[in-house]
Amino acid sequence: MRVLVIGSGGREHALCWAIAGSPILDKLWCAPGNPGTAQVAENVAMGVLEIPSIVAFALDNQVDLVVVGPEAPLVAGLADELAQEGIPCFGPSAAAAQLEGSKTFTKEVADAAGIPTAKWERFDEADAAREFIRRRGAPIVVKADGLAAGKGVVVATTEAEALAAIDMIMEEKTFGATNTAVVIEECLLGEEVSLFALCDGKHALLFGAAQDHKRVGDGDTGPNTGGMGAYSPPPCFPPEAQEAAMASIIRPALAEMAKRGTPFKGVLFAGLMLTDTGPKLIEFNVRFGDPECQALLPRLKSDLLPALLAAHDGELHFFDLRWDDALSSVAVVMAAQGYPGDPKRGGIIRALDQAAAKSNAQIFHSGTTQDADGTIRAYGGRVLTICATGKTISAARDAAYSAIEKIDWPDGFCRHDIGWRAL
Ligand code: AMP
Ligand code: GLY
């Protein structure tokens, strides 16, 4: 098979790494990719939103499957454009990608399908939103309705914080002039986990669970990020509980999407809060998590590629994925100083090969570039994910951190407590 992966993050490096090991793979490309994906795939210089170029490339190169990493091209209709040309895509249509693209849409689907979730209300008017916040009081959660690169959610512990979020989203229009509606929600308490399911429009196949670490600092302090590390499986969310959440959350969502004429194909990522009264949906994403994907894939024993194809073909009910249940994995993100604000760019990263060779760790690239002489430099906020497996979370964590110690990158930092909730 000839496969094109879309994206350039650690998630896409991990996807390329897994797909590259498939016995049915003939050729693998990644667009735009990064220096890490270049080790296992051929990078193609196309941006993830250059939809006509991606479609043309797939046609010209007889691509059998396009695997889309990030949400933006899905929300923009990449899967639809590929379908028009008869090119199979792993990832939902634009209509189904609204599960991530719009918080209101997700809440409506959840309510229609009877999925447990926080009580919510949507506001287009700032005064009405403020009035609601004053009436309800804190803690309360304020979210920009549209895509906001993971930064549009404020979990306000005081009324003042909630009101400031209204100013930011609705008056200052921080997330864009057309992204000024807010969803205000009841604040859920509990441990947060990420649940993944491959979906073929009708059937859903559990793809495991992981726990992310969203805050930048040790002990869950500091601002939110895209994710500073993840581990899998989370002991707080055992396999029976994962199956229960498939039944109470994933399958009802899938049935509701099918009923609406917009069946969901791809990976459905449910952000869940494990509350006293059971798991509740915080949000859906229509893609793999980053860094959850890097933590999950090293535990997968089955070939990933046929499963992705089956999700497109509507044949997941014939599938049974094998996981290495005896293994835990820990994925630690190294970011550039300044992240999640303005990260320091250009710093040289040395000794990656030695770090990988001297440990059982996988090093996935995200924000790196490579000079003509092979020098690797930091280029973005999250730069590397170092992922190791072990018989226990603590063994996996030790292996990941011992690999990190060997990496020579003075401008880089990581959290030192990935997996702490499990330990
Ligand atoms: P979201 O972008 O919707 O995933 O929200 C980002 C983060 O905000 C989540 O990962 C949670 O940690 C937190 N969050 C979102 N909604 C709620 C809620 N209703 N109650 C408590 N925390 C929430
Ligand atoms: N790590 C969370 C996400 O990918 O959205």
Side-chain angles (χ1 to χ4, degrees), residues 103 141 143 153 155 185-188 192 214 282-283:
K103 307 252 183 223
V141 180
K143 304 182 172 186
V153 175
V155 181
E185 289 184 10
E186 158 201 13
C187 187
L188 300 174
E192 205 173 328
K214 290 190 197 262
I282 297 173
E283 61 162 355

Side-chain angles (χ1 to χ4, degrees), residues 245-329:
M246 290 291 286
S248 66
I249 293 168
I250 300 287
R251 294 200 176 93
L254 210 55
E256 176 64 23
M257 293 301 284
K259 194 170 117 191
R260 291 172 178 234
T262 52
F264 184 91
K265 291 183 173 196
V267 60
L268 192 55
F269 160 1
L272 304 180
M273 193 72 89
L274 304 179
T275 73
D276 288 347
T277 54
K280 290 196 176 172
L281 178 72
I282 297 173
E283 61 162 355
F284 280 128
N285 296 301
V286 300
R287 50 172 177 82
F288 287 108
D290 186 336
E292 289 96 323
C293 183
Q294 296 91 302
L296 283 171
L297 288 178
R299 292 184 44 243
L300 179 65
K301 290 207 284 194
S302 303
D303 188 1
L304 177 65
L305 188 48
L308 301 182
L309 200 62
H312 170 269
D313 292 342
E315 291 181 347
L316 275 180
H317 50 311
F318 298 126
F319 255 79
D320 179 23
L321 288 171
R322 297 292 156 103
W323 295 88
D324 203 329
D325 292 322
L327 279 187
S328 292
S329 73

